[in-house]
Amino acid sequence: MVLEKLGSSIYETLKKIFGATVIDEHIVKELVRGLQRALLQADVNVRLVLELSKRIEERALKEKIPPGIPRKEHITKIVYEEFVRLLGEKPVSLNITPGKRNVFMLVGIQGSGKTTTAAKLARYFQKRGYKTALICADTFRAGALAQLSQLAAQINVPIYGDEKEKNPVKIALDGLRKFERYDIVIVDTAGRHKDEKSLIEEMKILQKEIKPDEIIMVIDGTIGQQAAIQAKAFHEATPLGSIIVAKLDGSARGGGALSAVAATGAPIKFIGTGEKIDDLEVFDPPRFVGRLLGMGDLRSLIEKVREAELKIPEKRAKAILSGKFTLSDMYEQFEAIRSMGPFSRILKMIPGLGYELPEDLIDVAEERLKKWRVIIQSMTPEEREKPQIINSSRMRRIARGSGTSERDVKDLLKQYKMLRRMMKTLRRKRFPFFGRKIAY
Ligand code: GDP
Ligand code: MG
């Protein structure tokens, strides 16, 4: 959907990071430049781009990496967290107080999608069992009432308007009296006037007179840089409670929406994804960011990383990096990987990996991992701590005990030695990376 282009270019940049063996200042700077390019291309406001990228760069270079977490994953996490900081972590809904009437007023310039969105919202709440009504307070655009009436008729929601009345405040107040006993009333307003000043003035007066519970700004997702300017103008006149971004179904890159959020601090609560009345989605920031970065379900990946952080105690990690790496450690690594769920799913969540590994390779890796676990289980504690004592007669015993062959046991020991060697190299580079590469 939206932002795919933006997503793919950020993804390309991150992929570079994931392909690098050593992450140093140079690579971090390259990532930040790539991010900047991608965001600017998507019409995100220049100042916002600079702010975001500065924070990412600073954190990526300065923050202490938790033991056991590869630096690249840590950087991905930082990038993700900085977007989430801007957009929020969880979907936020419109505030609805039960047992009273809740009035929402839609603002935004002509053509942004207000009238359509008013009907979509009415539909959304009607489906959830709220007694909902619409008011058309757009006295500027010819046929405004007819447009909303037609939409309202489709969903059987009552509407109030007055073609002859020229004062939007009077219409809104009359409508509100009529819909006294409703749960939710949505007020649609004008988007154009003789000039912008008089439009903003009208919104101010409307707000003062009808006292809506929340003002929602509808932004056209395709307008780019303009979004921040518009949002700011409306926000200064009437404090915005939330933003709905319409038209995110086409080729819109939607960076403007990001800028609008930054300019006003108002959260995005819904997105419009089509012209039909049901084309309204609750805005889910992490999913949006995941898509934005072209990484699939980034939220789950981050959760797994957090879990893994907890799983490897720092002391242990230090011991391993200082050269003590036994089969027991290796076994723990297997367990950590296993507890993350099916291998194929984990791999898919790791950016730059899941997209490329063929299914059968994943299966093979998973099979091997299973075998190795059983083999280590069949060893004595002493063998696990000092694998060098495993001679051919022990090997035979272990193979029998685990229902595998001696070749499998040898295979495991070979893998173990390789890993241990890797750990030693890592220690020299001070690059805490283990666990991930074990299985293939
Ligand atoms: P208003 O002037 O702000 O009230 O905007 P309208 O609701 O009249 O919408 C302007 C145009 O945008 C209409 O042709 C709508 O059908 C279209 N539109 C509104 N929302 C969406 C959306 O989410 N997706 C698409 N594709 N079109 C939309
Ligand atoms: Mg309209």
Side-chain angles (χ1 to χ4, degrees), residues 115 138 141 147 188:
T115 304
D138 179 355
R141 183 174 179 167
Q147 186 195 359
D188 185 20

Side-chain angles (χ1 to χ4, degrees), residues 394-422:
R394 279 176 191 263
M395 232 180 267
R396 251 194 315 277
R397 193 207 77 240
I398 294 166
R400 251 200 322 274
S402 57
T404 59
S405 68
E406 281 168 63
R407 240 188 67 197
D408 290 328
V409 181
K410 261 189 202 144
D411 192 27
L412 166 75
L413 289 174
K414 213 173 89 197
Q415 197 70 24
Y416 160 71
K417 278 183 194 140
M418 240 174 63
L419 261 173
R420 200 181 50 181
R421 240 192 339 267
M422 205 168 96

Side-chain angles (χ1 to χ4, degrees), residues 258-368:
L258 227 66
S259 314
V261 172
T264 62
I268 302 174
K269 294 192 178 170
F270 290 93
I271 56 174
T273 54
E275 289 190 68
K276 299 214 185 62
I277 286 190
D278 284 306
D279 297 333
L280 185 75
E281 284 176 22
V282 170
F283 178 69
D284 180 7
R287 215 172 83 197
F288 183 76
V289 177
R291 270 195 293 211
L292 179 87
L293 301 181
M295 289 179 164
D297 192 354
L298 201 58
R299 175 158 39 194
S300 327
L301 172 66
I302 299 298
E303 267 159 25
K304 301 298 170 197
V305 174
R306 282 182 189 149
E307 271 168 33
E309 276 174 11
L310 296 176
K311 258 185 205 114
I312 306 159
E314 186 157 6
K315 240 168 97 189
R316 180 110 210 185
K318 279 203 180 118
I320 291 173
L321 286 174
S322 72
K324 188 184 169 301
F325 178 72
T326 67
L327 273 168
S328 303
D329 294 319
M330 188 164 160
Y331 184 77
E332 259 178 41
Q333 290 297 308
F334 290 169
E335 284 301 288
I337 292 174
R338 211 172 59 95
S339 68
M340 287 182 177
F343 218 52
S344 55
R345 218 179 62 212
I346 304 164
L347 290 181
K348 275 205 188 89
M349 287 188 298
I350 300 176
L353 259 189
Y355 291 75
E356 284 138 34
L357 272 189
E359 277 298 317
D360 49 346
L361 211 83
I362 294 175
D363 288 345
V364 169
E366 196 153 55
E367 275 311 302
R368 278 176 98 188

Side-chain angles (χ1 to χ4, degrees), residues 109-116 136 138 141 144 147-148 188-191:
I109 64 148
Q110 171 138 309
S112 58
K114 280 184 308 303
T115 304
T116 315
C136 171
D138 179 355
R141 183 174 179 167
Q147 186 195 359
L148 190 59
D188 185 20
T189 63

